[in-house]
Amino acid sequence: MTGRVIKFYNSFFFVSVGDELIPCKLRGLLKRDKKVGGAVCVGDFVEISLLKDKSGVIESVQSRRNILIRPTIANVDRVILTFAFDAPKLHPLLLNRFLVLAEKSALDEIIICVNKIDLAAERNFLAEYESLYKVLRVSATTGEGVDELRAILSSGVTVFAGASGVGKSSLLNAVDKNLRLKVGSVSDKILRGKHTTRISELIEYGGGFLVDTPGFSAVDLTEAGLDKNNLRGCFKEFGQFAGACKFRNVCSHSHEPDCGVKAAVERGDILRERYEAYLTLLEEVGASSK
């Protein structure tokens, strides 16, 4: 039978087949599969066989359209990178770290979502990113922007990703109170969110699925296969200016002379905040590869 992995919990992959949710283990040969993201992950389409006790065995995995590495979800239509305007405060480097991971995963749609916008004096927060990505400004508290968010979630597989405490679960509960996702609070002592979502799981909603992922604040880019040679491709605005580089195709856009990307930064055609984040991440992945 063919089904989709809905969640992984207590060493079982729970596979949805029709109206049934079947707990499954891996066939031995699959355990040795070393592909990116593991042999099987949430979102995979798999072939299973049933055992007498009504559990199953995953025999094979269909080809993945894409895979989000952190959190690990396969066959994703869009990712909503969720941040808070405040408490915890949004840091530009963390924003761009998440954007890079999403770009590396080759997702169809990447959306920036800013929660707690009711705390913002400036309503056009992150306006400078709107030429690159769709930016949603919402409030789980007041309901601002929730209708627009609800419309986006009407189809496909949507992953909510972001640091702990930004309100991912609260936003989903605002979208549909019947979801009843567990909500935590922000620690006054360390100003970080408390982890409330423990597992990644596909949750049926409308004609698609939602994924409320465990929060995290540190992301290792090398886990996603990023290095100093492919990082620049994850800053999509660089491409239109890279042709003007003296050292085409090999320019790192950092120290080389006559660099089209650096010139674009100086002219204001590339957001300096993005470029500075790129340099920081380039140093990080370069150090990891040594």
Side-chain angles (χ1 to χ4, degrees), residues 6 17 27 33 36 85 93 112 121 130-131 133 157 175-176 205 209 221 228-229 237 242 245 253 265-266 274 277 289:
I6 298 300
V17 180
R27 179 65 68 193
D33 194 325
V36 174
F85 172 77
L93 183 58
I112 300 171
E130 289 185 302
S131 63
Y133 301 99
V157 175
V175 166
D176 188 341
Y205 180 78
F209 292 94
L221 298 182
K228 60 184 179 181
N229 296 314
E237 67 270 39
C245 292
H253 314 314
V265 174
E266 293 304 316
R274 286 269 290 169
S289 63

Side-chain angles (χ1 to χ4, degrees), residues 114-165:
V114 182
N115 189 21
K116 307 181 185 180
I117 197 65
D118 52 298
L119 302 177
E122 174 51 61
R123 309 307 290 177
N124 290 324
F125 184 64
L126 291 186
E128 62 272 24
Y129 280 79
E130 289 185 302
S131 63
L132 300 170
Y133 301 99
K134 182 177 182 60
V135 179
L136 290 177
R137 300 172 184 87
V138 302
S139 171
T141 302
T142 67
E144 180 178 348
V146 171
D147 285 344
E148 184 179 4
L149 178 60
R150 189 180 291 117
I152 291 171
L153 303 177
S154 61
S155 64
V157 175
T158 303
V159 172
F160 276 73
S164 302

Side-chain angles (χ1 to χ4, degrees), residues 5-14 22-26 42 55-56 198-201:
V5 178
I6 298 300
K7 67 179 176 179
F8 176 69
Y9 184 66
N10 278 353
S11 300
F12 281 94
F13 293 93
F14 288 81
I22 303 170
C24 296
K25 293 283 192 176
L26 293 184
V42 173
S55 67
R198 301 298 181 185
I199 62 172
S200 295
E201 177 181 3

Side-chain angles (χ1 to χ4, degrees), residues 214-274:
F216 55 96
S217 56
V219 183
D220 184 352
L221 298 182
T222 59
E223 288 182 14
L226 282 156
D227 57 35
K228 60 184 179 181
N229 296 314
N230 60 22
L231 178 66
R232 59 182 178 267
C234 295
F235 286 77
K236 58 184 182 180
E237 67 270 39
F238 288 8
Q240 61 181 306
F241 303 106
C245 292
K246 180 178 180 180
F247 303 100
R248 289 188 184 184
N249 301 322
V250 296
C251 184
S252 69
H253 314 314
S254 59
H255 62 279
E256 296 88 350
D258 300 325
C259 171
V261 170
K262 289 194 292 184
V265 174
E266 293 304 316
R267 292 193 306 268
D269 293 331
I270 291 177
L271 183 62
R272 186 172 294 276
E273 179 179 288
R274 286 269 290 169

